[in-house]
Amino acid sequence: MILVTGASGGVGREVCLRLAARGEHLLLSARDGLRLTVLAEQVRAAGGSAEVLPCDLRDQGAVQELTREVLTVHGTPQAVLSLAGHSIRRDLAESFGRPHDLVRLVGANMLGPATLLLGMLEAMCAGGDGRIVAVTSASARIPAPGWAAYGASKAGLDAWLRAVRPQAARQGVRIAIVELPLVATAMAVPTYGSAPRGALSPAQAAQRVLHALDAPRTLVSPVWARAGATLAQAAPVLSAAAAGRAGQLVRRMAARRGEERV
Ligand SMILES: NC(=O)c1ccc[n+]([C@@H]2O[C@H](COP(=O)([O-])OP(=O)(O)OC[C@H]3O[C@@H](n4cnc5c(N)ncnc54)[C@H](OP(=O)(O)O)[C@@H]3O)[C@@H](O)[C@H]2O)c1
């Protein structure tokens, strides 16, 4: 049995349909129960089986309840795919007076996922087996203007996973991190439009997640993101300026196609 958060979204939905074709039993989680119910039917039609467990990861009580329900009703998952995420792009001047953006993003991208994974890790470590795949973002290790709150929330999850990984591994639980670049999903639309140039398709992103699940990998990340993370450590000011300019270029290209604001 595999627990998938963010199941209803672009990448998560693609991952679930591919797992369904393998005949997997899936626990589908996200906030929107209706979309999850529709997906569960598609999973069954594709050869898998599925249960729907709606949860808002920003709500610690709901996360505890999800943890309890998974472990007591369904048992310890063989794997957890932590794919849920929320993004907001805002420059510094637009962020003044909006500390709630930080609360929302840290809740959805760091505290909620880490709380859920902690509960799953306890059960998996006790059983001596399990696999966790968590999607962060290239911006977790390459800070960029406009992505301060999003990058910080993903960086927090990244640091937490890297710190717990060695001790989890000694208990038989493997943890893989997938740093995705831009993906053409609903998440990208407000900033880059519906068809951003150079973006992965949801299917391509799903392949990276499944590669992390199937292969003994600890990190799945584009080469440029690994190089960028090294540069961000060595020359943080230069790196952030370059990341900001690159993002602006992609947004300008989207705006030129008449899709989005700069
Ligand atoms: N798209 C990109 O360019 C990109 C780039 C790098 C990394 N990523 C990461 O890739 C992952 C998948 O994103 P995507 O591109 O597929 O985006 P998406 O289409 O917007 O899907 C996001 C998923 O997360 C769920 N979600 C959002 N907020 C939640 C909350 N508070 N509690 C529980 N579930 C929540 C959404 O479902 P509900 O709305 O029903 O809750 C949805 O299933 C995310 O972790 C994202 O940060 C995306």
Side-chain angles (χ1 to χ4, degrees):
M1 175 263 285
I2 300 177
L3 169 63
V4 185
T5 74
S8 63
V11 179
R13 185 178 170 280
E14 286 287 334
V15 166
C16 289
L17 293 175
R18 279 164 172 69
L19 290 172
R22 299 182 185 182
E24 295 283 0
H25 180 56
L26 305 177
L27 302 185
L28 310 174
S29 193
R31 287 168 301 180
D32 188 332
L34 191 57
R35 280 203 298 167
L36 292 178
T37 302
V38 171
L39 176 62
E41 281 164 17
Q42 293 167 336
V43 165
R44 288 178 203 118
S49 55
E51 312 256 358
V52 168
L53 301 175
C55 174
D56 186 340
L57 289 170
R58 295 170 302 179
D59 179 343
Q60 280 283 302
V63 176
Q64 300 286 0
E65 179 54 30
L66 174 65
T67 305
R68 192 202 59 73
E69 187 172 353
V70 169
L71 297 178
T72 60
V73 178
H74 303 279
T76 305
Q78 295 158 300
V80 180
L81 307 183
S82 179
L83 311 182
H86 184 69
S87 81
I88 299 172
R89 187 201 171 279
R90 247 186 260 291
D91 288 325
L92 177 62
E94 299 171 324
S95 302
F96 296 142
R98 298 188 60 90
H100 48 279
D101 284 349
L102 282 163
V103 174
R104 284 166 65 191
L105 292 184
V106 170
N109 296 338
M110 195 275 150
L111 271 179
T115 302
L116 179 64
L117 292 176
L118 190 61
M120 297 302 136
L121 270 170
E122 184 176 2
M124 287 172 156
C125 288
D129 192 25
R131 187 86 175 113
I132 287 173
V133 177
V135 168
T136 62
S137 161
S139 62
R141 294 189 300 138
I142 311 173
W147 298 104
Y150 178 69
S153 64
K154 290 289 192 182
L157 183 63
D158 176 75
W160 185 81
L161 290 165
R162 285 170 192 264
V164 300
R165 180 158 54 194
Q167 291 170 338
R170 282 201 288 279
Q171 303 289 317
V173 183
R174 294 186 296 143
I175 297 177
I177 295 168
V178 179
E179 290 181 337
L180 287 179
L182 186 60
V183 188
T185 62
M187 180 177 283
V189 172
T191 307
Y192 299 112
S194 58
R197 200 158 293 168
L200 297 184
S201 67
Q204 288 171 319
Q207 268 170 8
R208 294 186 186 204
V209 172
L210 292 178
H211 180 56
L213 177 68
D214 297 334
R217 300 287 301 270
T218 53
L219 177 66
V220 174
S221 177
V223 173
W224 62 260
R226 292 175 186 232
T230 305
L231 179 67
Q233 287 292 312
V237 175
L238 176 72
S239 158
R245 274 198 294 277
Q248 198 170 34
L249 189 66
V250 181
R251 291 199 305 284
R252 281 222 173 97
M253 281 159 55
R256 228 174 277 145
R257 292 196 304 274
E259 294 199 47
E260 206 27 65
R261 69 195 169 96
V262 175

